[in-house]
Amino acid sequence: ADIRGWPIAPLTEAMAAGGFANRDEWMARRFLGLLREHAGARVLVFMGGYHGLAAGGGEVTVGRTTARFERWFSGYLRAEGVRMYTILSDARQESGHGATRVFDALTVGAAGRNYAVALTPESDTVERPLHEVALDGYRLGFWPERFALRDAVDALLVLDRATPITPVSAP
């Protein structure tokens, strides 16, 4: 579902920020075209990152350039009337917390376990569900900042006992 040539090799900070900000819309347009070509097809899509968020958008800063976007991939599909069920996977990051504050709340009483949970009104008590991402020269913020995570995804896959992938080489 990704756009051809991603990740792009930007020449400027503005190109990098703009490419990131437009990526999900470009992916969704292409994907919607495929869905129209195969009307009635049922599709299972696996994506990394935040592309599965069906509500909200964000703001990306690369260097000194900031670009804002109103939706993620699933948000564009939902806006076009595509029915979907979304599951966000989350694991403990190097910082010690998850990518979501909902993960952080869930793992307090169940540390070291892996499980899936359907989001319910109880998860709405986490008002700012997503942690901002900040790396050297890169920042990803979410807007609105305060929302119910279950408005964006249906379930959360909690991976608190994750193990690194070990590459296997062919003989």
Side-chain angles (χ1 to χ4, degrees):
D2 213 339
I3 59 175
R4 290 179 202 248
W6 192 267
I8 59 172
L11 300 175
T12 66
E13 293 172 350
M15 287 176 66
F20 186 99
N22 289 302
R23 179 180 176 198
D24 285 75
E25 181 178 4
W26 295 336
M27 288 171 28
R29 282 185 188 176
R30 183 171 172 251
F31 193 78
L32 285 165
L34 290 171
L35 288 178
R36 288 184 186 108
E37 287 177 26
H38 304 280
R42 297 180 72 173
V43 181
L44 179 61
V45 178
F46 291 91
M47 301 180 105
Y50 299 101
H51 304 294
L53 297 176
E59 181 178 88
V60 62
T61 301
V62 179
R64 292 176 290 171
T65 302
T66 298
R68 198 166 196 186
F69 53 99
E70 67 180 72
R71 293 187 179 118
W72 295 93
F73 176 82
S74 289
Y76 286 106
L77 296 181
R78 183 182 276 181
E80 291 294 322
V82 176
R83 288 180 43 222
M84 69 187 111
Y85 186 81
T86 57
I87 301 170
L88 178 67
S89 60
D90 197 355
R92 193 166 303 283
Q93 308 295 303
E94 288 181 19
S95 61
H97 59 70
T100 70
R101 289 180 176 88
V102 175
F103 172 94
D104 299 342
L106 289 171
T107 56
V108 168
R113 292 183 43 218
N114 297 333
Y115 56 93
V117 60
L119 297 180
T120 63
E122 287 78 33
S123 65
D124 294 352
T125 59
V126 180
E127 294 179 351
R128 294 175 52 227
L130 302 173
H131 287 287
E132 178 181 276
V133 177
L135 304 167
D136 240 2
Y138 170 85
R139 181 189 147 287
L140 176 61
F142 302 92
W143 66 269
E145 197 173 284
R146 297 178 186 276
F147 68 98
L149 187 59
R150 70 184 172 109
D151 290 340
V153 299
D154 298 292
L156 185 65
L157 180 59
V158 176
L159 302 171
D160 197 29
R161 193 183 60 221
T163 56
I165 295 174
T166 304
V168 177
S169 58

